[in-house]
Amino acid sequence: MHCADADCVTVCPTGASYKRDDGIVLVDQDKCMGCNLCAWACPYGARELDTASGTMKKCTLCVDRINDELLPPEERQPACVLACPTHARFFGDFDDPASEVSRLTAERGGFGLMPELGYAPVNQYLPPRELKPVIGADDVKALLERGLASLASPLIRR
């Protein structure tokens, strides 16, 4: 989670939690003492204590990757976006109204989590798409008539 008003940053007693100029919230592992204050301040559960190192960890948006100009532009995305087998994750610039993330969020009614808290997370979530029938009603009826209800049942639910 990367919030516009990140309490995890303001409660950190060592300054290990910080927000970059581009809005990405990170943890400086050399400054972190693992006190957990940032985790308690985050209502999204975005931070975890790494018991091996004794420091807090969180998503970095693969900041080294997204800023690596040696990579082709289409690969300058977080690993989770590139690896998602269903292509359900998107990454981009919400400050650019023509970007794919801005367009998708506007078209599909994207929303942030718990807006009433005022943290203004930049992550947005898209509601589920309407499922389109894989086969028509006549084909479902034919499957049922042939005693193949197990093949038709997932299609009926859609």
Side-chain angles (χ1 to χ4, degrees), residues 16-143:
S17 289
Y18 66 100
K19 186 170 149 183
R20 293 172 16 142
D21 290 339
D22 60 7
I24 297 175
V25 178
L26 296 173
V27 178
D28 182 333
Q29 296 298 301
D30 293 329
K31 291 181 179 178
C32 182
M33 63 182 189
C35 68
N36 266 325
L37 285 175
C38 58
W40 294 328
C42 177
Y44 305 107
R47 291 167 177 256
E48 297 177 4
L49 178 65
D50 179 347
T51 54
S53 68
T55 59
M56 301 306 292
K57 305 287 185 184
K58 70 174 297 297
C59 168
T60 66
L61 285 177
C62 296
V63 71
D64 294 335
R65 177 178 197 81
I66 65 174
N67 292 320
D68 187 348
E69 293 185 8
L70 296 176
L71 288 174
E74 63 275 6
E75 291 183 27
R76 293 183 207 153
Q77 300 182 62
C80 62
V81 173
L82 294 171
C84 182
T86 61
H87 306 289
R89 293 176 176 259
F90 300 90
F91 176 74
D93 184 0
F94 281 114
D95 290 332
D96 176 3
S99 71
E100 182 181 27
V101 292
S102 294
R103 185 183 52 77
L104 282 170
T105 302
E107 288 173 2
R108 293 189 35 208
F111 57 92
L113 292 181
M114 299 184 270
E116 65 278 7
L117 298 179
Y119 295 111
V122 295
N123 306 54
Q124 296 287 302
Y125 295 85
L126 300 174
R129 292 179 292 238
E130 277 191 42
L131 295 175
K132 296 178 180 148
V134 177
I135 64 174
D138 292 338
D139 295 325
V140 170
K141 184 178 177 185
L143 286 170

